[in-house]
Amino acid sequence: MAAAPVTCVRLTTSMHTNQIVGKSSTMRIVPMGRVKSGFPCLRTSRFRISCSAKPETVNKVSEIVKTQLALSADTVVTPDSKLSTLGADSLDTVEIVMTLEEEFGISVEEENSQNITTVQEAADLIESLVEKKNATA
Amino acid sequence: MFCTSALSPLQLPSRMETHLWYVLPNEVKSQSLLSQYVDLLSPLEKDHVFSMRGEELQKSALLARALVRTTIARYQIHSRVSPRSLVFRKNAHGKPEVIWEQSDDWHPPPLHFNLSHTSSLIACGVTVGSPIGIDVEEKQRTMKSNILSFAKRYFSCEEVEVLSAISDPEVQRHEFIKLWTLKEAYVKALGTGFSGAPFNTFTIRFGVANPNPEDSAIVIVPLEKPTNLTTNWQFAQVQLAGSHYAAICRQNDGLPGGASMKVIVRKTIPLVEEHCVPSIVPVDD
């Protein structure tokens, strides 16, 4: 699946008025037939518009993943990189989640940690949990 | 232990037995053999193998699929079953299972399997009539996190107490790894995923205060009331190749007196050879 190139739509949500608490921040839109005007024109037939995490968050996650998996400095880790294809087993994934919890001051429930398969997903989840934490602080 | 040569008929495990097969990637060097393994795979499996980053991970993923396909086919269940013809799917929670070709005159045996791998060893457990979960870890695996911090976050209080009571850090690390494999094996046997049985909702309890080699003494203690967790499971712990801890979990068939699980361990190079190895229960290193 290709992520929408260049144009990353960032939806700002007000946690008090929009009732998005607890939902995944990633939307997947599959256009049927012609793509409506206003959307970027893409060669692929499926694309994802996500409430993307800040680059700093993605970078931090990548750093933590690289450390946990002892990846060489020249290993390319992108937001779409899957933890399993980088060599993470279940114990690695749990260690990564725990390190992320400590780093960002959040708590990840088991059902959410199971859904973390890529760097992007981890970063998005972190940001939604940080937002939620800040909103209730 | 009796040794079997490759391709001679192999009996399915009896309902009292568990078969554990393993392969060491370091022993599989032949490119032509690896190509033969690739030929056994479904297109999806090939995509998955080649999506792995780097040769070592690709080889490990390839061997895992080759192991499970050749192992199931070894039992010569039906003339139409070959390593290549097997079809797999994942259950609702992602646990892999075989889809058998059914017909009026043949009903497949209730064969269950579960895979686990590290970069240096891949294992496949096989049972008849009971779901199975296995997990293997390198004995020398080091944690990036502090072991007790990790245990406090993910394990039960009782388990943290047991680990905290171990003063030697190396022994503590070994016991932690063994405990992890037991918990993983249970969750994999249940087949409902990590969130179906979060690690801190059950204790793995040993017969006495400290872990001991008596497998029959290992029990599951659910911590929530009411609980969805079932407890009619039995465990075995074995050492493989002198380098790995393996935990096996399967249903307890109401065997009298908590009889130990009978595990038959075979080391193999798929399509090439296999031999039985004595089942070794881990002792304190």
Side-chain angles (χ1 to χ4, degrees):
Chain A
M1 275 185 291
V6 182
T7 314
C8 267
V9 178
R10 185 177 178 81
L11 301 180
T12 49
T13 61
S14 160
M15 299 310 270
H16 299 292
T17 59
N18 267 8
Q19 313 300 321
I20 297 184
V21 177
K23 286 220 167 110
S24 165
S25 59
T26 303
M27 297 187 297
R28 183 188 299 157
I29 299 173
V30 182
M32 308 291 277
R34 280 192 179 280
V35 179
K36 284 186 180 172
S37 63
F39 283 83
C41 178
L42 297 166
R43 271 181 249 115
T44 54
S45 60
R46 302 179 81 192
F47 60 95
R48 180 195 294 154
I49 292 183
S50 54
C51 307
S52 293
K54 297 194 276 289
E56 306 95 80
T57 309
V58 173
N59 288 339
K60 191 76 215 168
V61 173
S62 300
E63 238 177 84
I64 288 168
V65 168
K66 280 180 118 164
T67 305
Q68 175 67 35
L69 304 180
L71 301 178
S72 64
D74 57 351
T75 304
V76 176
V77 177
T78 67
D80 279 344
S81 295
K82 290 183 88 170
L83 299 183
S84 58
T85 60
L86 292 170
D89 63 12
S90 52
L91 186 47
D92 287 312
T93 304
V94 177
E95 282 212 85
I96 288 167
V97 169
M98 189 166 109
T99 308
L100 294 173
E101 289 184 327
E102 287 168 354
E103 183 72 29
F104 291 94
I106 51 174
S107 177
V108 180
E109 296 310 309
E110 265 83 352
E111 51 269 23
N112 287 325
S113 70
Q114 220 176 256
N115 293 334
I116 295 177
T117 61
T118 67
V119 169
Q120 185 72 57
E121 283 168 6
D124 291 346
L125 178 63
I126 288 163
E127 289 214 344
S128 74
L129 290 172
V130 168
E131 271 189 59
K132 208 191 295 187
K133 187 183 86 156
N134 292 342
T136 56
Chain B
M1 281 288 196
F2 296 103
C3 291
T4 51
S5 60
L7 305 180
S8 57
L10 197 56
Q11 290 231 317
L12 279 164
S14 71
R15 282 174 187 259
M16 315 276 281
E17 285 172 356
T18 303
H19 289 181
L20 185 65
W21 299 74
Y22 73 91
V23 58
L24 300 175
N26 284 345
E27 296 188 352
V28 184
K29 297 193 222 284
S30 153
Q31 282 305 312
S32 83
L33 187 55
L34 292 171
S35 299
Q36 287 180 58
Y37 295 158
V38 173
D39 282 340
L40 300 178
L41 269 44
S42 71
L44 265 177
E45 286 172 338
K46 284 181 203 171
D47 283 346
H48 172 76
V49 164
F50 294 115
S51 76
M52 301 296 287
R53 291 285 200 95
E55 263 187 51
E56 208 190 285
L57 290 176
Q58 289 186 10
K59 186 176 173 187
S60 178
L62 173 59
L63 286 173
R65 298 317 304 163
L67 178 65
V68 71
R69 284 179 170 276
T70 55
T71 298
I72 292 175
R74 276 294 285 115
Y75 295 105
Q76 304 196 347
I77 291 153
H78 190 274
S79 55
R80 285 205 289 269
V81 171
S82 72
R84 195 183 284 114
S85 73
L86 286 165
V87 180
F88 294 88
R89 70 165 168 220
K90 294 189 174 174
N91 76 0
H93 306 280
K95 184 173 184 184
E97 51 194 33
V98 180
I99 309 175
W100 297 103
E101 197 185 305
Q102 306 246 12
S103 62
D104 287 336
D105 57 347
W106 183 68
H107 298 286
L111 183 152
H112 298 256
F113 72 90
N114 194 235
L115 268 173
S116 176
H117 50 109
T118 68
S119 54
S120 46
L121 184 146
I122 297 145
C124 181
V126 180
T127 47
V128 164
S130 160
I132 177 175
I134 72 166
D135 191 53
V136 295
E137 291 294 343
E138 286 176 7
K139 284 161 63 172
Q140 293 309 114
R141 184 188 187 129
T142 49
M143 297 287 287
K144 295 291 186 296
S145 332
N146 172 274
I147 282 174
L148 287 181
S149 302
F150 186 99
K152 283 175 187 158
R153 172 68 183 87
Y154 290 107
F155 287 4
S156 73
C157 294
E158 188 178 320
E159 290 164 340
V160 172
E161 274 177 38
V162 168
L163 289 172
S164 301
I166 303 170
S167 51
D168 182 316
E170 263 305 279
V171 175
Q172 189 188 69
R173 190 179 59 75
H174 283 274
E175 294 310 313
F176 167 83
I177 293 173
K178 286 191 234 166
L179 186 52
W180 172 271
T181 61
L182 287 163
K183 292 177 83 86
E184 265 287 279
Y186 173 60
V187 172
K188 291 176 78 183
L190 287 175
T192 53
F194 200 47
S195 61
F199 275 19
N200 61 3
T201 61
F202 65 94
T203 288
I204 296 260
R205 184 180 292 166
F206 300 85
V208 294
N210 293 310
N212 64 36
E214 283 181 43
D215 305 322
S216 56
I218 299 173
V219 295
I220 297 283
V221 182
L223 299 173
E224 293 171 338
K225 288 181 167 61
T227 181
N228 289 331
L229 300 179
T230 47
T231 57
N232 56 328
W233 299 89
Q234 59 172 185
F235 292 86
Q237 295 182 85
V238 295
Q239 265 195 50
L240 298 176
S243 55
H244 286 72
Y245 292 129
I248 306 167
C249 177
R250 60 164 296 158
Q251 258 161 3
N252 179 337
D253 283 338
L255 294 167
S260 292
M261 192 192 298
K262 183 175 174 201
V263 184
I264 297 178
V265 182
R266 287 187 183 86
K267 181 174 168 208
T268 181
I269 295 178
L271 300 180
V272 177
E273 66 184 48
E274 73 205 27
H275 57 271
C276 297
V277 295
S279 169
I280 298 176
V281 175
V283 292
D284 293 327
D285 293 332

